[in-house]
Amino acid sequence: MDRGHVSLVEATIKVFTSDPENQVDVYIRKAGFEQISHLQGVPKVSFILIEEPESVSAILERISAKSYHELFITTLDKYIREFSKWDIPSNANLFIHNIDLWFHTSFPAVLRRFLLNFGHYNLKYNIKQNLLYPRFYKTIVRKILDRNGNLIVLNTKLKRVLTAFVPEDHVKVIPFQVFDHQILSGSENPEAGDGRIRICIPGEVSQIRRDYAALFDCFLSDQELTDGFALDLLGTIPEADTAGLRPRIKRLQERGMPVYTYGPKRISMSVFDKNALKANI
C-alpha cells in the first residue's frame, strides 16, 4: 500500500477512535498492516488481515454482511473492476485522490489527458488511468451517491472544487494527518529558519504517479523559486528513473535548493509523520 494511503488509514482511525463509543474494523492486506502495526492494541480497533488466496469479491461480500454504520474506502485503484461490480452498501465513503481523473471523464477530456501524459508516464498505466478506468469511476460514484454515501477529500479547498460535480452535503473532509503531540517533539526543522517555504509531497517519487518532472523544471526555470522554497520528497525513489528525475533533483540541490530524499527503501511511519509535520504546504 502506498505510504500516503497508509497515512490516510491512520488519520481515519484517529478521527473515529476519538469517540470511545465507536468500534473501528480495518480491512487491510499484510503489507499494509506492517506499516501501521504500531496501532495494534489501540482500544476499539480491530485489524482484519486479508489473506491473499481470498478473492476481492469475497472480501467485499464479507464486508457487506457486517452492516457497518459507515464504511470508508481508502484506496481501490488496483481492484477497481471488482469495486464497480460490488453492490456497495449504504453510507459508504470513498476517498477521492484525484478529482480530475474521477470527474473529467468525457471522451475529449480523457483523450486529451492521455495525449498530454504520453511519453511522460508508463504507457500501460496511462492507458488504464485515462482510457479504461473512467467508466468504472462513473459507475462507482453513481452507486455511492445513490446509496446516500459520501466522497472524501483532504481539505476544504478540494471540497470546494469537488462540489462543482457533487452536491455539497455529499462531500466530507478528513485530513491527511491528525495532529499527534507525541511525535511533534524533535520534528522542528533546523533548516526552516532561513525563511524558505517547505513543500512536502508524500508518496513514491515516480513519474508514473505524478508529473514530478514538470514540477522540478518549474523550479529550475526560476532562481527566485529555488531560493524561496524547500522540497521534501517524502517517499521512496525507485531505482529505475526513465524520466530523469534524479538529475533534476541534483541540479536543484546544486542551485542551493534543499531537496530532501529518502532512497529506495520504504520509510517508517514514524519518520513519515515527523517529516510531514515540518511542512508548510
Side-chain angles (χ1 to χ4, degrees), residues 42-114:
V42 172
K44 298 285 189 174
V45 178
S46 298
F47 288 95
I48 297 141
L49 294 184
I50 300 169
E51 301 296 335
E52 292 300 332
E54 187 175 13
S55 72
V56 174
S57 297
I59 295 163
L60 295 177
E61 291 310 311
R62 186 149 58 99
I63 292 171
S64 293
K66 285 280 192 176
S67 299
Y68 288 107
H69 177 68
E70 284 200 88
L71 176 68
F72 289 84
I73 305 166
T74 305
T75 179
L76 52 67
D77 206 43
K78 189 176 179 181
Y79 307 107
I80 195 163
R81 289 178 176 84
E82 289 84 351
F83 273 89
S84 70
K85 296 174 184 176
W86 185 28
D87 185 17
I88 296 175
S90 60
N91 297 323
N93 301 272
L94 172 66
F95 280 91
I96 298 295
H97 300 280
N98 189 320
I99 294 173
D100 192 37
L101 282 177
W102 279 82
F103 292 94
H104 291 132
T105 53
S106 67
F107 181 73
V110 298
L111 181 61
R112 181 171 61 253
R113 198 162 54 236
F114 172 80

Side-chain angles (χ1 to χ4, degrees), residues 5-254:
H5 295 171
V6 173
S7 187
L8 282 179
V9 172
E10 182 172 4
T12 306
I13 290 171
K14 289 178 178 178
V15 167
F16 287 97
T17 54
S18 64
D19 184 340
E21 297 297 317
N22 289 334
Q23 168 68 43
V24 178
D25 290 348
V26 183
Y27 291 80
I28 192 166
R29 292 199 180 275
K30 182 179 179 181
F33 175 70
E34 289 172 351
Q35 302 174 54
I36 207 169
S37 59
H38 60 283
L39 293 178
Q40 194 172 22
V42 172
K44 298 285 189 174
V45 178
S46 298
F47 288 95
I48 297 141
L49 294 184
I50 300 169
E51 301 296 335
E52 292 300 332
E54 187 175 13
S55 72
V56 174
S57 297
I59 295 163
L60 295 177
E61 291 310 311
R62 186 149 58 99
I63 292 171
S64 293
K66 285 280 192 176
S67 299
Y68 288 107
H69 177 68
E70 284 200 88
L71 176 68
F72 289 84
I73 305 166
T74 305
T75 179
L76 52 67
D77 206 43
K78 189 176 179 181
Y79 307 107
I80 195 163
R81 289 178 176 84
E82 289 84 351
F83 273 89
S84 70
K85 296 174 184 176
W86 185 28
D87 185 17
I88 296 175
S90 60
N91 297 323
N93 301 272
L94 172 66
F95 280 91
I96 298 295
H97 300 280
N98 189 320
I99 294 173
D100 192 37
L101 282 177
W102 279 82
F103 292 94
H104 291 132
T105 53
S106 67
F107 181 73
V110 298
L111 181 61
R112 181 171 61 253
R113 198 162 54 236
F114 172 80
L115 295 174
L116 285 172
N117 292 338
F118 192 81
H120 297 287
Y121 289 81
N122 174 281
L123 180 59
K124 182 179 178 181
Y125 181 85
N126 193 12
I127 290 172
K128 285 195 304 182
Q129 287 284 341
N130 294 304
L131 299 182
L132 300 181
Y133 283 3
R135 63 191 179 98
F136 299 128
Y137 296 146
K138 288 189 283 188
T139 297
I140 292 169
V141 167
R142 176 180 52 78
K143 284 184 175 183
I144 286 176
L145 297 179
D146 286 350
R147 289 162 172 78
N148 200 36
N150 299 287
L151 305 179
I152 311 294
V153 289
L154 305 183
N155 57 54
T156 53
K157 183 176 181 180
L158 290 174
K159 179 177 180 177
R160 288 194 294 271
V161 174
L162 189 53
T163 53
F165 306 97
V166 177
E168 185 175 1
D169 58 347
H170 283 283
V171 183
K172 292 182 177 180
V173 174
I174 291 182
F176 177 70
Q177 282 194 311
V178 174
F179 175 73
D180 186 344
H181 68 89
Q182 293 180 330
I183 64 172
L184 183 62
S185 178
S187 69
E188 291 79 12
N189 176 19
E191 293 82 14
D194 63 2
R196 294 178 186 270
I197 296 172
R198 180 164 174 147
I199 301 172
C200 175
I201 306 175
E204 183 181 85
V205 185
S206 166
Q207 192 68 9
I208 293 174
R209 297 193 58 79
R210 53 183 66 88
D211 197 353
Y212 281 96
L215 174 67
F216 297 158
D217 289 344
C218 178
F219 280 108
L220 286 167
S221 69
D222 191 333
Q223 187 63 42
E224 188 174 342
L225 290 177
T226 59
D227 290 341
F229 290 86
L231 280 178
D232 190 350
L233 305 177
L234 194 50
T236 58
I237 301 182
E239 296 290 354
D241 181 23
T242 56
L245 301 183
R246 292 177 189 272
R248 287 178 168 91
I249 292 171
K250 185 177 180 181
R251 283 159 56 199
L252 286 170
Q253 291 170 332
E254 289 172 346

